Amino acid sequence: MYIEDKSTSAISGTSLDLLSKLVRIESCDPPGRETEVAKCLETELIRAGIQVELDEFAPGRVNLLARLPGSGTNPPLVFSAHLDTVPVGTTGWTEEPFGGHVKNGRLYGRGASDMKSGVVAMTAALIEIAVAGAPLAGDLLLAFSAGESSNCLGAKRFVEQRSFAEAGAILVSEPSSLNLIIAEMGVLWLRATALGRVGHVSGNGGDNAIIKMASILPQLQSIRLPCPDHALLPDPTIRVGTIQGGTAVNVTPDRCFVDIDIRMRPGTTPSDILDLLKPLGLELEVLDFKPAVETAIDHPFTQTCLEACAARRSIAPRVSGVAYYSDATIYTSSFQTPFVIIGPGELGMSGQPDEFVEIEKFDQAITIYRAIAESYLGHAQSRLSSR
């Protein structure tokens, strides 16, 4: 059992036990290994009479799709989360990374915030609705993906299978401190290559591609990206993440490349960025692009989420945008489905040592998720516009 702080023992109960159990399962990506996490959730859902499908689309990489059927009057609502976590790292931890223990009102461990607390809170909310026995007017789905950290692999698999293309809205439980996030920056990953000429250093031959790249990097970092203003999103950024070049210490390198992460607001395209970088004289290759996505603040689903949060918290929820991407970029850009992010984890806690989630927010999240589902979908005897 996880209980070290007895003052929290009455809060969340079985759900807190499940969260502790999931945090103790290592599902860091790489390599992921979400299978054990998915099977643990499957057991809980089947026990509650919920339909569950596990899809192992690559060795050890498993998506979970669960469905609480509604009357079909309204389109489904999707509860979205991912089962993998980022790596632990090598320094900075004072708590056990896979301990899943509770102390001073917090549960600690890798994934506690990002985002196993969201996974369990959504699971608990769906089970509570199922146990209550009042059918909803639309299906409620759990879509828990593998490999979000590995470029949204599981989300892309869900899209490929069109698992919920008909959904009316998607609620994502990424860390948000229980505030609302309705806009995400677009993410462009590029590989930029400087070319030289091979030669042996003893003969002072060749043209050093690494030196060439080193002279270009300051120019690259100082480029101002042309992005339209946005009320909710931060400034665009361009950052070098990796660099590689050379084959041997005594051979002049004829090739050096850097991988670049660019975050940009809506209204900027990859071709805009490529045109901006071409004068640097580098070969440019697009590795991946995740479009910026957003949901209007006056959208009915956003308003439903705002009302649910405001009614169940002592402070008014904030509405913002973020520089990070989530599975929402894959779903929304593919299906044009509105999304909102509300998670019990702390915004900015992802990947940090001594990662934690506050038990109070975890408990509140369960209540908020249930309220959003029941309000947005409606019960079987009522009608609700889906969009």
Side-chain angles (χ1 to χ4, degrees):
M1 288 288 290
Y2 63 85
I3 296 296
E4 294 180 14
D5 181 350
K6 297 186 185 301
S7 66
T8 66
S9 61
I11 302 175
S12 304
T14 301
S15 297
L16 196 57
D17 283 336
L18 178 59
L19 176 56
S20 177
K21 184 175 182 179
L22 294 193
V23 169
R24 292 197 299 269
I25 298 171
E26 295 188 31
S27 56
C28 298
D29 190 8
R33 294 195 299 257
E34 297 91 350
T35 303
E36 188 177 351
V37 179
K39 287 186 175 179
C40 184
L41 291 165
E42 179 188 37
T43 298
E44 296 296 322
L45 289 161
I46 289 175
R47 184 180 294 128
I50 307 299
Q51 304 172 23
V52 186
E53 299 175 16
L54 299 187
D55 174 27
E56 187 173 10
F57 61 88
R61 314 313 299 260
V62 176
N63 280 351
L64 181 149
L65 185 67
R67 185 182 300 267
L68 178 62
S71 67
T73 304
N74 294 320
L77 172 64
V78 176
F79 282 174
S80 167
H82 61 81
L83 303 175
D84 57 308
T85 73
V86 297
V88 170
T90 58
T91 60
W93 286 83
T94 61
E95 306 292 340
E96 171 56 45
F98 301 106
H101 67 275
V102 172
K103 183 170 69 176
N104 298 326
R106 296 172 171 178
L107 187 145
Y108 286 88
R110 178 55 86 227
S113 179
D114 184 14
M115 58 183 301
K116 290 177 178 178
S117 55
V119 167
V120 176
M122 286 182 155
T123 301
L126 182 142
I127 289 175
E128 283 187 6
I129 294 170
V131 171
L136 298 173
D139 293 358
L140 179 59
L141 279 67
L142 301 178
F144 295 161
S145 66
E148 190 263 359
S149 299
S150 290
N151 214 11
C152 300
L153 297 179
K156 291 174 181 176
R157 171 71 170 182
F158 275 133
V159 167
E160 175 187 318
Q161 296 184 314
R162 300 189 65 80
S163 300
F164 40 84
E166 78 286 10
I170 296 175
L171 183 65
V172 184
S173 53
E174 289 279 1
S176 78
S177 307
L178 289 183
N179 292 305
L180 275 70
I181 295 169
I182 60 172
E184 295 181 7
M185 298 279 273
V187 181
L188 176 64
W189 288 346
L190 296 177
R191 176 161 292 171
T193 303
L195 300 178
R197 189 177 71 257
V198 71
H200 197 282
V201 296
S202 63
N204 197 28
D207 180 17
N208 195 310
I210 293 177
I211 299 301
K212 185 178 293 186
M213 179 64 79
S215 69
I216 294 174
L217 286 179
Q219 302 174 57
L220 183 67
Q221 294 289 157
S222 64
I223 288 175
R224 292 175 60 86
L225 298 177
C227 289
D229 291 339
H230 196 288
L232 299 179
L233 292 171
D235 290 335
T237 59
I238 178 167
R239 295 192 171 97
V240 174
T242 65
I243 184 168
Q244 184 174 325
T247 57
V249 67
N250 61 340
V251 176
T252 303
D254 62 350
R255 182 177 297 267
C256 177
F257 68 82
V258 295
D259 289 345
I260 306 167
D261 178 295
I262 298 170
R263 307 282 162 134
M264 52 200 189
R265 302 184 187 122
T268 304
T269 67
S271 61
D272 294 332
I273 303 299
L274 292 174
D275 289 343
L276 191 66
L277 299 184
K278 281 177 182 176
L280 295 177
L282 299 169
E283 289 190 350
L284 300 172
E285 175 190 358
V286 175
L287 301 178
D288 191 62
F289 175 58
K290 302 175 187 68
V293 290
E294 58 183 323
T295 303
I297 194 167
D298 60 354
H299 190 283
F301 183 57
T302 306
Q303 291 299 308
T304 295
C305 294
L306 266 173
E307 291 165 8
C309 287
R312 288 156 185 85
R313 300 198 65 206
S314 59
I315 57 175
R318 298 189 305 276
V319 179
S320 65
V322 289
Y324 70 63
Y325 66 83
S326 74
D327 283 341
T329 184
I330 306 300
Y331 303 142
T332 298
S333 61
S334 298
F335 300 141
Q336 288 72 56
T337 310
F339 79 98
V340 172
I341 295 174
I342 302 173
E346 297 300 317
L347 187 60
M349 175 62 61
S350 303
Q352 297 298 310
D354 291 341
E355 182 180 349
F356 67 85
V357 65
E358 293 183 4
I359 306 305
E360 181 181 12
K361 287 181 179 175
F362 171 70
D363 189 54
Q364 288 175 328
I366 298 172
T367 306
I368 289 168
Y369 295 156
R370 178 176 177 178
I372 290 171
E374 292 180 328
S375 177
Y376 181 76
L377 290 171
H379 287 286
Q381 68 272 20
S382 65
R383 287 190 165 277
L384 180 67
S385 173
S386 64
R387 300 261 180 173

